[in-house]
Amino acid sequence: MKEFTYTITDPIGFHARPAGLLVKKVKEYACEITISCEGKSSSAKKLFGIMGMGIKNGQTVTVTVEGEDEENVAAELETFFKENA
């Protein structure tokens, strides 16, 4: 299991555009990816689950990656968050 945290910097929060891009990206991976924030969590492969979390600017998310090639997947997702959230 590989895990990292990221604090959302987008003034609008983690809204539909970055959430949609994330879902599209994680569908490439065979591993399980979970996003958690303030007691809520969702599979990163479920757009409505992520949107339902209502992640706002300044909140810290924890991304957990489990499965094959988790080291590389976690590194790619960390880069994704820095560029899109």
Side-chain angles (χ1 to χ4, degrees):
M1 177 174 73
K2 184 73 177 156
E3 187 174 275
F4 68 89
T5 59
Y6 180 78
T7 301
I8 302 299
T9 58
D10 189 313
I12 303 171
F14 201 63
H15 54 93
R17 185 191 55 78
L21 291 172
L22 176 66
V23 169
K24 185 176 180 179
K25 181 163 188 66
V26 300
K27 289 192 177 186
E28 303 169 6
Y29 307 124
C31 49
E32 288 297 316
I33 302 162
T34 306
I35 297 178
S36 304
C37 182
E38 297 190 4
K40 298 178 184 176
S41 67
S42 173
S43 166
K45 296 180 180 181
K46 298 185 178 189
L47 179 61
F48 289 113
I50 296 169
M51 295 300 299
M53 292 173 66
I55 303 168
K56 296 178 178 31
N57 179 23
Q59 290 184 312
T60 300
V61 296
T62 301
V63 180
T64 307
V65 182
E66 292 184 71
E68 76 180 59
D69 204 24
E70 60 192 31
E71 292 285 332
N72 290 333
V73 172
E76 288 182 27
L77 290 177
E78 200 162 1
T79 299
F80 170 87
F81 273 88
K82 289 175 183 173
E83 293 174 352
N84 295 286

